[in-house]
Amino acid sequence: MEEYENIESIFQHIWKSICIGKKNRHSDFHTFSLATCHQNVVKNRTVVLRGYDEEKGIIFFHTNVFSEKISDIKKNDNVECLFYSKKSKIQIRFSGTALINHNDEICKKKWNQMSNQSKLCYFQNINPGSVIKRPDDVKQHLQNKMSEAFVIISVNIKKTDWLFLSHSGHKRVIFFDNNVDSGNWIAP
C-alpha cells in the first residue's frame, strides 16, 4: 500500500489506528494483548484500550486492582502491548513501562464518565483469579461509590514496532520514545 511507503505516514497510521480502536469497539485495535512477567514467566492476556495520549505516547486500560497483572507490574513495570488487525495484516507492538493509577483523580474522573454496566464488573464478591466451585459463585452488586478495585494502567511507550504482512513483501519499522524522527526500517 502506498501509505506504507514512508516512515512518517506509518507513524501517523499507527496513531490513527489507536484512535479508531479507542472509539470503535468493532475495530481490531480495540483490544490488545498485554504481556507482563510473573516469577520469570511471561504472562499474557487481552485487555481493552480505554484511552491514549498521542503527544505523550501513552495508552490506557482499566483493570481490577486484585488481578495478577497488578502484582506483576508492581514487581516489574516493563510491559508489552500487542495489537493485531487480521483485516489489514498490521501488527503494532508497544514496549514500555506501566504505571498503576489507583484511587486518584485520574480514576475518579474516568469512573464518573463510565456507565453502570461498566462499573458493575468492579463490584464482584470474589477476586479475579480465585478458585471457585461454580461460575455463579461470583456475584456483582453495584454500589453508589467508586470501587476500590478500579484502576487505570497507563503505559508509557518506549518502543514501537510496526509490522505489515503482505504476500508482496513484509514491511517493518521501529520507533523509540514515540518520536517519528527515530524511525528506522527493519528487516521483517
Side-chain angles (χ1 to χ4, degrees):
M1 296 187 93
E2 193 171 305
E3 67 182 304
Y4 306 144
E5 295 301 319
N6 72 67
I7 288 174
E8 293 80 14
S9 65
I10 291 168
F11 188 81
Q12 291 170 356
H13 187 267
I14 290 168
W15 284 106
K16 181 180 176 186
S17 299
I18 296 303
C19 176
I20 292 168
K22 193 258 182 208
K23 292 178 182 178
N24 180 356
R25 66 185 182 97
H26 300 291
S27 165
D28 287 341
F29 294 103
H30 185 62
T31 59
F32 62 94
S33 179
L34 173 76
T36 59
C37 189
H38 178 81
Q39 298 177 347
N40 292 325
V41 176
V42 175
K43 300 283 187 158
N44 212 342
R45 78 284 284 158
T46 301
V47 296
V48 178
L49 177 66
R50 295 296 183 189
Y52 67 96
D53 184 326
E54 179 179 351
E55 189 174 308
K56 293 181 180 176
I58 299 173
I59 60 172
F60 303 92
F61 66 92
H62 304 167
T63 193
N64 189 308
V65 74
F66 302 109
S67 67
E68 186 179 55
K69 67 182 88 58
I70 295 299
S71 60
D72 294 349
I73 290 168
K74 285 180 178 178
K75 291 175 186 160
N76 181 346
D77 64 357
N78 293 300
V79 298
E80 191 156 275
C81 307
L82 175 67
F83 293 82
Y84 181 72
S85 171
K86 185 176 181 179
K87 181 181 176 185
S88 62
K89 298 182 179 167
I90 291 177
Q91 172 183 281
I92 301 169
R93 264 189 323 159
F94 292 134
S95 301
T97 54
L99 175 68
I100 301 166
N101 299 284
H102 184 227
N103 257 342
D104 59 11
E105 288 305 313
I106 294 169
C107 291
K108 289 174 188 171
K109 181 180 177 184
K110 188 62 175 178
W111 183 263
N112 290 331
Q113 298 170 348
M114 290 168 53
S115 69
N116 284 342
Q117 181 181 354
S118 295
K119 292 176 181 178
L120 187 60
C121 64
Y122 297 100
F123 287 110
Q124 67 184 46
N125 62 326
I126 301 174
N127 289 339
S130 299
V131 176
I132 56 176
K133 291 183 181 179
R134 299 179 311 279
D136 62 358
D137 287 347
V138 178
K139 308 287 187 218
Q140 297 174 324
H141 178 71
L142 188 63
Q143 298 177 29
N144 194 20
K145 63 177 184 175
M146 185 170 79
S147 170
E148 289 293 318
F150 179 68
V151 295
I152 298 174
I153 305 299
S154 54
V155 178
N156 185 9
I157 300 164
K158 301 293 184 190
K159 177 181 170 187
T160 302
D161 189 330
W162 175 91
L163 175 67
F164 173 58
L165 302 174
S166 173
H167 66 281
S168 61
H170 307 324
K171 296 178 181 179
R172 184 175 174 204
V173 177
I174 291 181
F175 302 94
F176 292 94
D177 298 319
N178 196 45
N179 181 348
V180 67
D181 295 329
S182 73
N184 284 299
W185 292 105
I186 302 294

